[in-house]
Amino acid sequence: MVIHVCGGIAAVKVPGLITDLRREGADVRVALTGAAASFVSSLSLQALSGHQVYSRLLDPGENLDGPGMAHLDLAAWADIHLVVPATASSLARMAAGLADDVVSSTLLATSAPVLVAPAMETNMWCHPATRSNCQTLLGRGVHFVGPVVGRLASGKLGEGRMAEPSQVLAVAAELLRPSGELTGRRVLVTSGGTREPIDPVRFIGNRSSGWMGLALAEGAASRGATVTLVTASALVPRLANIQVVPVETAQEMLDEVLTRLPATQLVLMAAAVADYRSSAPATAKLHRGDSPRLALELVPTPDILGEIVARKPQSCRVVGFAAETEDVRARGRAKLARKGCDMLVANPVSGAHSAMGGQQAEAVALLADGREIEIPWASKQEVAARILDLAEELLGSSPGSRDPA
Ligand code: CTP
């Protein structure tokens, strides 16, 4: 694997990433842009990776095998390229196809998968130029991990913080898996918390972020599945290899899910669906002075998971989720039986390790055959990978559930 380090403050996380990778047995080589050298020392990276570091193009002193063509050797040698951190400038250079330093040249010359971990200030990440560069790169098959919302170099909070090294590792591991365990499968994932309107500006919602569903959708796509993500998350991801269907309410989610169900082999119902909605949402904004008290009448929303289990094709496998504050296993078991799905992933959402809204989770996977499998506290990408391993097992016991080629 080659790690391409670009010039941003998140470059200080690269030494830790290399240490973790080497602990996992990876052979890591490092290429640096000129700006990266201001943030992290070449000597440290050399010591940690156990190899010389590549920082100059066409330098006879920096060669892997041949005489001074390091970019071509690195491009051919790597099983995967990680761009960590990917700055706005490095994304722009990749999108433009520049090849004027060892990093850009290697990335242009390779046919191995490329995974970028963007890190920059929110305004730079949201700028139309960066958005368009990301679209271009996604369209060319470049993989993204993050960025996430968090504290930025400026001290402000916002979207643009680099994904944690453990998340980068989990996505890289997914990309390096022998591909195709889910090839030919149609996978439907739901995510986010549904929003049930009170009036045109207010809604009943919950703390779900949509990150778990997104990690499941990305993980399934990287295993070869054809993935649709029906999401009620406010953060609608821009993904090249996943069909994203934005919805707001439980009813809209139900409609979109049922339309796709007949052709689906695996449903991962990670959405936090509101259980109640207002019986009569106001058509105009409610004003504070309109009445001294406001009572809302709430009526139940449809049970999407229940409808899926009742109407699914026989070979389709269904995974439900449950966020519980207490008696996680017992409540999860009861819910698995009540909902009739093949597996239920129960997350504790109280105490220090709450899965709701954050980037990490722990869970216990409860299977209809009685097994209970602990998934320890880890990034949602890693948790998603364990869930997908189990879902693959479920599909394996489901003959005829693969799409004809
Ligand atoms: N779910 C659903 N439709 C609903 C509510 C929940 O499809 N109206 C799904 C969720 O997506 C999740 C599973 O059912 O996969 C369990 O959700 P949860 O809210 O924990 O269960 P509830 O059915 O709401 O039961 P309870 O209120 O007793 O927790």
Side-chain angles (χ1 to χ4, degrees), residues 269 271 273-275 301-305 320-323 335 338-339:
M269 188 71 207
V273 184
D275 287 328
T301 55
D303 180 355
I304 304 174
L305 192 52
F321 290 74
K335 205 167 276 183
R338 177 155 51 83
K339 298 272 184 180

Side-chain angles (χ1 to χ4, degrees), residues 87-110:
T87 56
S89 165
S90 53
L91 293 173
R93 296 160 63 73
M94 286 171 71
L98 294 188
D100 57 357
D101 66 3
V102 69
V103 166
S104 55
S105 303
T106 306
L107 292 172
L108 202 62
T110 194

Side-chain angles (χ1 to χ4, degrees), residues 65-274:
D65 296 317
M69 302 294 268
H71 64 295
L72 299 183
D73 295 336
L74 286 172
W77 172 82
D79 50 358
I80 187 168
H81 296 266
L82 269 50
V83 185
V84 187
T87 56
S89 165
S90 53
L91 293 173
R93 296 160 63 73
M94 286 171 71
L98 294 188
D100 57 357
D101 66 3
V102 69
V103 166
S104 55
S105 303
T106 306
L107 292 172
L108 202 62
T110 194
S111 50
V114 176
L115 173 64
V116 300
M120 65 198 77
E121 287 294 309
T122 308
N123 286 349
M124 298 170 84
W125 174 242
C126 295
H127 194 285
T130 307
R131 297 265 49 82
S132 148
N133 291 332
C134 290
Q135 282 307 317
T136 303
L137 294 172
L138 280 165
R140 288 183 198 149
V142 170
H143 303 271
F144 281 69
V145 53
V148 299
V149 175
R151 190 73 62 192
L152 305 172
S154 61
K156 291 182 191 157
L157 268 180
E159 192 182 356
R161 183 181 166 86
M162 194 178 94
E164 285 307 315
S166 63
Q167 291 174 283
V168 178
L169 282 184
V171 176
E174 276 300 301
L175 292 170
L176 287 173
R177 287 172 70 89
S179 68
E181 283 99 333
L182 287 175
T183 300
R185 311 280 196 184
R186 284 184 190 275
V187 177
L188 182 59
V189 184
T190 66
S191 73
T194 62
R195 281 163 283 164
E196 309 298 332
I198 296 170
D199 69 10
V201 294
R202 303 179 181 92
F203 59 82
I204 300 169
N206 60 63
R207 295 182 196 279
S208 167
S209 61
W211 287 117
M212 189 69 238
L214 181 57
L216 287 163
E218 286 179 328
S222 69
R223 294 177 188 212
T226 303
V227 181
T228 302
L229 176 65
V230 179
T231 182
S233 170
L235 233 162
V236 179
R238 291 162 279 251
L239 303 164
N241 52 350
I242 294 170
Q243 189 197 10
V244 180
V245 182
V247 294
E248 269 201 30
T249 64
Q251 185 62 50
E252 287 170 18
M253 183 172 278
L254 176 69
D255 294 344
E256 295 294 349
V257 164
L258 290 185
T259 308
R260 291 164 175 80
L261 190 60
T264 297
Q265 285 91 43
L266 174 65
V267 181
L268 302 165
M269 188 71 207
V273 184

